[in-house]
Amino acid sequence: MPKSYDPEEKMEIVLRAIKGEKISDLADEYSVSRNSIYLWKKEFLNGGMSKLSGESATEQEAKLKKKDEQIKEMEKIIGQQKVQMEILKKKPWQN
C-alpha cells in the first residue's frame, strides 16, 4: 500500500522542488513517484496549500466558519472579563 503524505510533507517536497532540487532525487528520498511530485507542484502553484490538503472548497469554508465562531466566542469571553476587571478595579465593596 502506498504511503500517504500529509499536506505539510507535500509542501516540504514541493518547496524543495521549486527551489531547484531534482525531482528524481526527491522522489528517491521520499519514496514517492516523480509524477506525484509534479502533480503536487502543479496543485500548489494553482491553488496553494489548500489544494495539497485535498479538501474541497466547501470543507475549507466550513472549517473557516467554525474558526470564526470560536474567535467570536473568545472575544465575547474576553469582553466579559474586561468588564469584571474594571468592576474589581473600582472596588465597589469599599465605599
Side-chain angles (χ1 to χ4, degrees), residues 21-33:
E21 292 189 43
K22 289 183 179 180
I23 300 292
S24 58
D25 292 344
L26 293 169
D28 291 342
E29 181 179 339
Y30 288 95
S31 300
V32 64
S33 72

Side-chain angles (χ1 to χ4, degrees), residues 63-73 75:
K63 281 185 176 182
L64 285 175
K65 184 176 179 181
K66 184 177 179 180
K67 296 284 184 195
D68 284 341
E69 290 170 359
Q70 290 173 335
I71 290 170
K72 287 178 184 175
E73 182 63 28
E75 287 173 340

Side-chain angles (χ1 to χ4, degrees), residues 14-52:
V14 167
L15 289 177
R16 288 178 61 185
I18 290 171
K19 289 179 183 177
E21 292 189 43
K22 289 183 179 180
I23 300 292
S24 58
D25 292 344
L26 293 169
D28 291 342
E29 181 179 339
Y30 288 95
S31 300
V32 64
S33 72
R34 292 183 312 192
N35 287 339
S36 292
I37 296 174
Y38 285 116
L39 175 65
W40 297 342
K41 183 178 173 184
K42 180 181 176 183
E43 287 175 342
F44 174 73
L45 293 174
N46 289 331
M49 184 66 175
S50 62
K51 281 287 193 176
L52 292 178

Side-chain angles (χ1 to χ4, degrees), residues 2 4 25 43 53 77-78 83 87:
S4 176
D25 292 344
E43 287 175 342
S53 70
I77 292 169
I78 290 169
V83 169
I87 291 170

